[in-house]
Short mmCIF file of all heavy atoms in Angstrom, two decimals:
data_model
loop_
_atom_site.label_atom_id
_atom_site.label_comp_id
_atom_site.label_asym_id
_atom_site.label_seq_id
_atom_site.Cartn_x
_atom_site.Cartn_y
_atom_site.Cartn_z
N GLY A 84 17.20 10.78 -4.60
CA GLY A 84 17.78 11.19 -5.89
C GLY A 84 16.82 11.01 -7.05
O GLY A 84 15.63 11.19 -6.93
N SER A 85 17.36 10.62 -8.20
CA SER A 85 16.62 10.55 -9.43
C SER A 85 15.50 9.52 -9.35
O SER A 85 15.69 8.39 -8.91
CB SER A 85 17.57 10.18 -10.57
OG SER A 85 16.88 10.12 -11.80
N SER A 86 14.29 9.93 -9.78
CA SER A 86 13.12 9.05 -9.74
C SER A 86 12.11 9.48 -10.78
O SER A 86 12.22 10.54 -11.40
CB SER A 86 12.49 9.14 -8.35
OG SER A 86 12.05 10.43 -8.08
N ASP A 87 11.14 8.62 -11.00
CA ASP A 87 10.08 8.90 -11.97
C ASP A 87 9.13 10.00 -11.46
O ASP A 87 8.63 10.82 -12.25
CB ASP A 87 9.25 7.63 -12.25
CG ASP A 87 10.10 6.51 -12.80
OD1 ASP A 87 11.01 6.78 -13.60
OD2 ASP A 87 9.83 5.35 -12.43
N LEU A 88 8.86 9.99 -10.16
CA LEU A 88 7.97 10.95 -9.53
C LEU A 88 8.68 11.58 -8.33
O LEU A 88 9.46 10.90 -7.64
CB LEU A 88 6.70 10.25 -9.06
CG LEU A 88 5.87 9.52 -10.11
CD1 LEU A 88 4.83 8.63 -9.46
CD2 LEU A 88 5.20 10.53 -11.01
N ARG A 89 8.39 12.86 -8.07
CA ARG A 89 8.98 13.51 -6.91
C ARG A 89 7.91 14.29 -6.18
O ARG A 89 7.06 14.92 -6.77
CB ARG A 89 10.08 14.49 -7.38
CG ARG A 89 11.32 13.78 -7.90
CD ARG A 89 12.36 14.76 -8.34
NE ARG A 89 11.91 15.37 -9.62
CZ ARG A 89 12.24 16.58 -10.04
NH1 ARG A 89 12.97 17.36 -9.27
NH2 ARG A 89 11.84 17.01 -11.19
N ILE A 90 8.00 14.24 -4.85
CA ILE A 90 7.14 15.08 -3.99
C ILE A 90 8.07 15.87 -3.08
O ILE A 90 8.92 15.31 -2.39
CB ILE A 90 6.17 14.22 -3.16
CG1 ILE A 90 5.21 13.45 -4.06
CG2 ILE A 90 5.41 15.08 -2.19
CD1 ILE A 90 4.21 12.57 -3.34
N GLU A 91 7.89 17.17 -3.12
CA GLU A 91 8.67 18.06 -2.26
C GLU A 91 7.75 19.18 -1.79
O GLU A 91 6.68 19.39 -2.30
CB GLU A 91 9.89 18.60 -3.01
CG GLU A 91 9.56 19.30 -4.33
CD GLU A 91 10.76 19.59 -5.15
OE1 GLU A 91 11.60 18.69 -5.36
OE2 GLU A 91 10.92 20.76 -5.60
N GLY A 92 8.20 19.88 -0.78
CA GLY A 92 7.39 20.96 -0.27
C GLY A 92 7.84 21.49 1.06
O GLY A 92 8.99 21.26 1.49
N GLU A 93 6.91 22.15 1.73
CA GLU A 93 7.21 22.78 3.03
C GLU A 93 5.93 22.97 3.82
O GLU A 93 4.86 23.05 3.25
CB GLU A 93 7.93 24.11 2.81
CG GLU A 93 7.11 25.09 1.97
CD GLU A 93 7.91 26.30 1.50
OE1 GLU A 93 9.09 26.41 1.83
OE2 GLU A 93 7.33 27.16 0.82
N ILE A 94 6.10 23.00 5.11
CA ILE A 94 4.95 23.27 6.02
C ILE A 94 4.93 24.78 6.18
O ILE A 94 5.84 25.37 6.75
CB ILE A 94 5.13 22.57 7.35
CG1 ILE A 94 5.18 21.04 7.11
CG2 ILE A 94 4.01 22.94 8.32
CD1 ILE A 94 5.62 20.22 8.30
N THR A 95 3.90 25.40 5.63
CA THR A 95 3.86 26.86 5.57
C THR A 95 2.96 27.51 6.64
O THR A 95 3.03 28.71 6.85
CB THR A 95 3.38 27.35 4.19
OG1 THR A 95 2.09 26.78 3.93
CG2 THR A 95 4.35 26.91 3.10
N GLY A 96 2.13 26.72 7.28
CA GLY A 96 1.25 27.29 8.28
C GLY A 96 0.99 26.39 9.45
O GLY A 96 0.84 25.18 9.30
N TYR A 97 1.04 26.98 10.65
CA TYR A 97 0.74 26.30 11.90
C TYR A 97 0.07 27.38 12.75
O TYR A 97 0.74 28.17 13.39
CB TYR A 97 2.00 25.77 12.53
CG TYR A 97 1.77 24.92 13.76
CD1 TYR A 97 1.52 23.55 13.62
CD2 TYR A 97 1.77 25.45 15.04
CE1 TYR A 97 1.32 22.76 14.74
CE2 TYR A 97 1.56 24.68 16.16
CZ TYR A 97 1.34 23.33 16.02
OH TYR A 97 1.12 22.54 17.12
N ASN A 98 -1.26 27.41 12.67
CA ASN A 98 -1.97 28.55 13.25
C ASN A 98 -3.04 28.12 14.26
O ASN A 98 -3.71 27.09 14.06
CB ASN A 98 -2.69 29.35 12.12
CG ASN A 98 -1.73 29.79 11.06
OD1 ASN A 98 -0.71 30.37 11.36
ND2 ASN A 98 -2.07 29.49 9.83
N LEU A 99 -3.22 28.96 15.27
CA LEU A 99 -4.27 28.77 16.27
C LEU A 99 -5.23 29.93 16.09
O LEU A 99 -4.82 31.08 15.94
CB LEU A 99 -3.70 28.79 17.68
CG LEU A 99 -2.84 27.61 18.04
CD1 LEU A 99 -2.08 27.87 19.34
CD2 LEU A 99 -3.66 26.35 18.15
N SER A 100 -6.55 29.62 16.14
CA SER A 100 -7.54 30.66 16.06
C SER A 100 -8.72 30.32 16.94
O SER A 100 -9.10 29.14 17.06
CB SER A 100 -8.00 30.87 14.60
OG SER A 100 -8.53 29.69 14.07
N PRO A 101 -9.30 31.33 17.58
CA PRO A 101 -10.48 31.08 18.43
C PRO A 101 -11.70 30.75 17.58
O PRO A 101 -11.91 31.29 16.51
CB PRO A 101 -10.66 32.40 19.18
CG PRO A 101 -10.01 33.42 18.32
CD PRO A 101 -8.92 32.75 17.56
N GLN A 102 -12.52 29.84 18.08
CA GLN A 102 -13.75 29.44 17.38
C GLN A 102 -14.89 29.41 18.38
O GLN A 102 -14.64 29.37 19.61
CB GLN A 102 -13.60 28.01 16.79
CG GLN A 102 -12.49 27.87 15.83
CD GLN A 102 -12.66 28.65 14.57
OE1 GLN A 102 -13.73 28.62 13.95
NE2 GLN A 102 -11.66 29.44 14.20
N ALA A 103 -16.09 29.39 17.95
CA ALA A 103 -17.28 29.25 18.79
C ALA A 103 -17.24 30.19 20.00
O ALA A 103 -17.16 29.76 21.13
CB ALA A 103 -17.43 27.79 19.25
N VAL A 104 -17.30 31.46 19.73
CA VAL A 104 -17.29 32.49 20.81
C VAL A 104 -18.61 32.44 21.57
O VAL A 104 -19.67 32.41 21.00
CB VAL A 104 -17.03 33.91 20.20
CG1 VAL A 104 -17.06 34.95 21.29
CG2 VAL A 104 -15.72 33.93 19.44
N THR A 105 -18.50 32.44 22.90
CA THR A 105 -19.67 32.40 23.77
C THR A 105 -20.22 33.80 23.98
O THR A 105 -19.62 34.78 23.58
CB THR A 105 -19.32 31.76 25.14
OG1 THR A 105 -18.35 32.58 25.77
CG2 THR A 105 -18.80 30.36 24.96
N GLU A 106 -21.36 33.91 24.70
CA GLU A 106 -22.00 35.21 24.91
C GLU A 106 -21.14 36.14 25.75
O GLU A 106 -21.28 37.36 25.68
CB GLU A 106 -23.39 35.04 25.54
CG GLU A 106 -23.41 34.58 26.95
CD GLU A 106 -23.56 33.06 27.08
OE1 GLU A 106 -23.71 32.36 26.08
OE2 GLU A 106 -23.53 32.60 28.23
N ASP A 107 -20.21 35.61 26.54
CA ASP A 107 -19.34 36.49 27.32
C ASP A 107 -18.03 36.81 26.58
O ASP A 107 -17.06 37.24 27.19
CB ASP A 107 -19.08 35.90 28.71
CG ASP A 107 -18.48 34.49 28.66
OD1 ASP A 107 -18.31 33.98 27.54
OD2 ASP A 107 -18.21 33.96 29.74
N ALA A 108 -18.03 36.58 25.28
CA ALA A 108 -16.92 36.95 24.37
C ALA A 108 -15.66 36.11 24.56
O ALA A 108 -14.59 36.52 24.15
CB ALA A 108 -16.62 38.43 24.43
N TYR A 109 -15.80 34.93 25.15
CA TYR A 109 -14.67 34.01 25.25
C TYR A 109 -14.85 32.86 24.26
O TYR A 109 -15.99 32.42 24.04
CB TYR A 109 -14.55 33.45 26.69
CG TYR A 109 -14.09 34.46 27.68
CD1 TYR A 109 -14.99 35.04 28.58
CD2 TYR A 109 -12.76 34.85 27.75
CE1 TYR A 109 -14.57 35.97 29.51
CE2 TYR A 109 -12.36 35.79 28.68
CZ TYR A 109 -13.24 36.34 29.53
OH TYR A 109 -12.82 37.27 30.46
N ALA A 110 -13.76 32.41 23.71
CA ALA A 110 -13.83 31.28 22.79
C ALA A 110 -14.02 29.99 23.57
O ALA A 110 -13.32 29.75 24.56
CB ALA A 110 -12.57 31.22 21.94
N SER A 111 -14.95 29.14 23.10
CA SER A 111 -15.12 27.87 23.77
C SER A 111 -14.34 26.77 23.03
O SER A 111 -14.19 25.68 23.52
CB SER A 111 -16.61 27.49 23.83
OG SER A 111 -17.13 27.40 22.53
N GLN A 112 -13.90 27.08 21.84
CA GLN A 112 -13.12 26.15 21.04
C GLN A 112 -11.90 26.89 20.43
O GLN A 112 -11.97 28.10 20.16
CB GLN A 112 -13.93 25.61 19.87
CG GLN A 112 -15.11 24.74 20.27
CD GLN A 112 -14.68 23.35 20.55
OE1 GLN A 112 -14.01 22.70 19.78
NE2 GLN A 112 -15.08 22.85 21.72
N THR A 113 -10.84 26.18 20.22
CA THR A 113 -9.66 26.71 19.54
C THR A 113 -9.39 25.82 18.34
O THR A 113 -9.54 24.61 18.45
CB THR A 113 -8.43 26.75 20.46
OG1 THR A 113 -8.77 27.54 21.63
CG2 THR A 113 -7.23 27.37 19.76
N ARG A 114 -9.01 26.39 17.22
CA ARG A 114 -8.77 25.64 16.02
C ARG A 114 -7.25 25.65 15.71
O ARG A 114 -6.66 26.71 15.62
CB ARG A 114 -9.52 26.23 14.83
CG ARG A 114 -9.23 25.54 13.50
CD ARG A 114 -10.20 25.98 12.46
NE ARG A 114 -11.51 25.40 12.78
CZ ARG A 114 -12.63 25.68 12.14
NH1 ARG A 114 -12.59 26.52 11.11
NH2 ARG A 114 -13.74 25.13 12.48
N LEU A 115 -6.72 24.49 15.50
CA LEU A 115 -5.33 24.33 15.04
C LEU A 115 -5.40 24.00 13.54
O LEU A 115 -6.01 23.00 13.15
CB LEU A 115 -4.60 23.22 15.80
CG LEU A 115 -3.21 22.87 15.24
CD1 LEU A 115 -2.24 24.07 15.33
CD2 LEU A 115 -2.63 21.67 16.01
#
Side-chain angles (χ1 to χ4, degrees):
S85 181
S86 62
D87 301 323
L88 302 167
R89 290 179 286 151
I90 296 179
E91 54 191 50
E93 57 193 0
I94 299 168
T95 58
Y97 187 86
N98 304 310
L99 292 168
S100 58
Q102 302 294 312
V104 178
T105 61
E106 69 266 356
D107 56 358
Y109 289 104
S111 61
Q112 295 278 308
T113 302
R114 176 169 290 173
L115 173 61

